[in-house]
Amino acid sequence: MNGKIMKYNLLMIMAFLGMLLSSCLKSTDGVSINTFSEKSEEEKQTSKNLVADLPMLIDSTNYIVFSIRDNKIQERKRGLYKSGNWYNNYLDNLIFQNIETQETHILTKKEIKIISYERLLDSLNPSLNTTLYQIIDSFPKNEKEETFTSLYLSTNDGKNFTKITKENENLHGWKYIPETNNIYFITNNDLDGNRKLNDKDGQSIHSISVNDFIRTDLLVEKLETLNN
């Protein structure tokens, strides 16, 4: 009889401990607490996993360049993304390395997306030291805002990374004319500041010197005369 009582008491103690342990895993409102913190599906999609691609040699320099991209984004199909997030498939940065000293440096610490970059070549000026970038450096806050493309320049080793277009300008097109040592580019200008280009906004043409990265606005007075 005593054995049955002891067995019964032992079962009651185990049951009580089980209830106590269960209550410790619940919050005050009765909702179970997940002891393993997991990111939501949206957070998983926006988190970064930056990786480097195999390097390329920059001709006539002592540098190689590594493209930096988000591995998670590249692995997903573009169709899985909302229309406003298509820019996630672009490069996130570049890392340059001197093949003699092994020293490395990143292009920029800004949050950007690199649409394209191109080293300018000039048979008249073999020592030309300019690389041109089409960059996204501001991102829409909602579907009503448009994504603007900015023009940047740097030296061929990824230094002196400089923004050429202004905050309210969207790069429309560009052309390099070696004989002038200038890059000519057209911008669509968001004059009303609503981050959306429309008929009320304007367009203008500019040049930038590849020697000192100084920008000049072109034909301003002449175009005003023609439009009046």
Side-chain angles (χ1 to χ4, degrees):
M1 186 73 175
N2 291 337
K4 290 183 178 180
I5 293 174
M6 291 179 62
K7 184 176 181 181
Y8 175 80
N9 289 338
L10 180 61
L11 290 173
M12 291 295 293
I13 292 172
M14 292 177 64
F16 175 76
L17 291 174
M19 293 173 63
L20 180 63
L21 179 62
S22 176
S23 65
C24 289
L25 293 177
K26 292 180 181 292
S27 60
T28 54
D29 58 2
V31 178
S32 296
I33 298 174
N34 186 359
T35 56
F36 296 95
S37 177
E38 293 184 356
K39 292 183 178 180
S40 66
E41 190 61 31
E42 183 177 353
E43 288 175 326
K44 289 179 181 178
Q45 290 187 1
T46 57
S47 62
K48 287 186 177 181
N49 179 23
L50 299 183
V51 296
D53 286 332
L54 293 172
M56 296 184 298
L57 176 67
I58 304 174
D59 291 341
S60 304
T61 73
N62 294 325
Y63 282 86
I64 56 177
V65 58
F66 299 83
S67 297
I68 306 302
R69 59 181 175 81
D70 193 325
N71 191 45
K72 290 184 179 180
I73 290 172
Q74 294 293 333
E75 288 176 352
R76 298 193 189 100
K77 294 182 180 179
R78 181 168 174 169
L80 295 177
Y81 280 84
K82 297 179 181 179
S83 60
N85 290 335
W86 50 266
Y87 50 74
N88 283 327
N89 293 307
Y90 294 135
L91 298 179
D92 286 74
N93 220 319
L94 298 172
I95 296 179
F96 296 80
Q97 183 179 53
N98 187 311
I99 58 180
E100 293 184 351
T101 66
Q102 301 301 303
E103 178 187 0
T104 61
H105 64 271
I106 62 173
L107 178 66
T108 179
K109 293 183 179 180
K110 294 177 61 176
E111 182 180 357
I112 62 170
K113 292 292 180 180
I114 303 174
I115 300 174
S116 66
Y117 66 100
E118 178 180 343
R119 178 188 175 187
L120 300 183
L121 299 176
D122 183 0
S123 59
L124 300 176
N125 183 13
S127 61
L128 179 63
N129 189 20
T130 305
T131 296
L132 183 146
Y133 306 79
Q134 295 186 64
I135 298 285
I136 297 172
D137 59 7
S138 62
F139 304 92
K141 297 178 182 179
N142 54 61
E143 294 181 356
K144 295 182 180 180
E145 295 185 350
E146 295 183 7
T147 303
F148 287 4
T149 301
S150 300
L151 173 65
Y152 280 76
L153 298 180
S154 81
T155 54
N156 290 333
D157 56 3
K159 296 180 179 179
N160 195 24
F161 187 60
T162 304
K163 183 173 181 176
I164 305 303
T165 50
K166 299 178 181 179
E167 291 302 321
N168 67 331
E169 294 178 341
N170 175 65
L171 179 65
H172 180 73
W174 65 273
K175 181 178 184 179
Y176 172 55
I177 300 181
E179 291 80 1
T180 66
N181 286 326
N182 283 332
I183 299 167
Y184 297 87
F185 61 100
I186 293 175
T187 59
N188 300 114
N189 307 324
D190 181 25
L191 299 180
D192 52 14
N194 64 354
R195 299 298 293 181
K196 192 175 183 65
L197 299 174
N198 51 52
D199 295 339
K200 297 180 180 179
D201 295 321
Q203 189 177 83
S204 54
I205 187 167
H206 324 270
S207 68
I208 180 75
S209 169
V210 297
N211 296 323
D212 51 22
F213 295 178
I214 294 179
R215 164 179 160 154
T216 303
D217 298 332
L218 303 177
L219 309 180
V220 176
E221 295 180 357
K222 297 297 182 183
L223 288 173
E224 285 181 353
T225 301
L226 291 173
N227 285 321
N228 292 329

